[in-house]
Amino acid sequence: AERAGDSETALHARSQLAFVLIDDDPKAGLDVARDGLTLARRLGMTSMALFLGNVVAEVALRSGDWREAAAVVEEALAVEPEGRDRILLHAHRAVYRSLIGGDPGPDLAALAGMDHEGEVQMAFYTEATPAWLAGLRGDHEATWEVCTRYAELDELNAPYLWERAARAALWLGDPWRSREAIDAVAGLGFRGRANAAGLAVLQAGLAALEGRVGHAETGYRDAM
């Protein structure tokens, strides 16, 4: 697409490549998304810059580049986006404010008033994101209930929803629900080194919860 001078297709391709790489090498995925965002800004393609800003925010959550992503989200929200972009960006800002010590309240309030028009994948942001953040504040039951409910409905986001549910169950000290969610994650068959490391962490957590200390130690080392 770049050789043909088709910038819009090339930018869409970069976004999809970033989403592929997130399962294997999130840092590489972030590099691709970051380059796409820089190109979209340079070309003055505002809608594509908003789209790629959301991609950067998605990938950076897993790569750990939280402050960079928070700055990208702030810049994107400054242009007052509408529709899906507005939902995604408020969800991302709520997450990053929670993770780096800010107040997610205004963004959560904004999400509560948004209509995703029955599009189940958008519920990952309007309902499941606030429930996940509730877990970060200690309400792990809320995380479990909402994430497991939407994991059954949303095939695209099921890996992330089941992973969050598994972590909630581990924090609750519930080995039965932990195993249910971990088995669901493993059964989805998603590949990639990042996914394998995440699953290893969950399995090590369950081993620790069940008192299998040696298995837990080995599992955490393997994940690292």
Side-chain angles (χ1 to χ4, degrees):
E2 288 173 347
R3 286 196 297 270
D6 186 349
S7 299
E8 185 167 354
T9 300
L11 290 171
H12 274 293
R14 285 178 183 273
S15 74
Q16 297 310 301
L17 178 57
F19 282 131
V20 170
L21 288 169
I22 192 175
D23 292 333
D24 185 68
D25 185 350
K27 287 285 188 183
L30 181 60
D31 287 342
V32 170
R34 186 191 290 126
D35 289 347
L37 176 58
T38 299
L39 179 58
R41 287 169 171 170
R42 188 165 68 241
L43 295 173
M45 301 173 69
T46 304
S47 62
M48 283 303 303
L50 284 173
F51 176 64
L52 283 156
N54 275 313
V55 176
V56 167
E58 292 272 4
V59 179
L61 183 61
R62 200 164 193 184
S63 72
D65 297 86
W66 296 347
R67 293 191 182 278
E68 176 188 351
V72 168
V73 171
E74 288 289 352
E75 184 173 341
L77 278 167
V79 304
E80 299 182 353
E82 297 294 333
R84 288 169 58 97
D85 286 327
R86 184 165 172 261
I87 292 174
L88 295 172
L89 288 165
H90 275 290
H92 292 319
R93 189 164 69 177
V95 167
Y96 284 114
R97 283 182 170 177
S98 294
L99 292 174
I100 62 180
D103 177 15
D107 293 292
L108 293 176
L111 286 173
M114 293 182 189
D115 181 11
H116 56 75
E117 299 178 352
E119 188 176 355
V120 68
Q121 290 170 358
M122 295 307 290
F124 179 75
Y125 303 95
T126 58
E127 276 85 31
T129 292
W132 179 48
L133 297 186
L136 297 185
R137 298 191 301 273
D139 188 357
H140 304 296
E141 286 288 356
T143 301
W144 170 266
E145 192 279 321
V146 176
C147 288
T148 52
R149 173 155 45 91
Y150 281 106
E152 299 288 353
L153 303 172
D154 183 357
E155 183 178 0
L156 178 65
N157 292 305
Y160 309 111
L161 290 162
W162 278 120
E163 181 178 2
R164 292 173 180 181
R167 290 179 180 274
L170 289 170
W171 277 106
L172 287 165
D174 188 327
W176 296 275
R177 283 192 286 181
S178 298
R179 185 172 295 281
E180 176 188 349
I182 291 168
D183 287 347
V185 173
L188 290 170
F190 281 76
R191 299 174 182 266
R193 289 171 293 172
N195 285 343
L199 180 58
V201 168
L202 298 177
Q203 292 169 332
L206 179 59
L209 192 62
E210 294 177 336
R212 295 181 284 116
V213 178
H215 286 88
E217 290 177 347
T218 300
Y220 284 129
R221 288 195 193 99
D222 289 346
M224 291 175 67

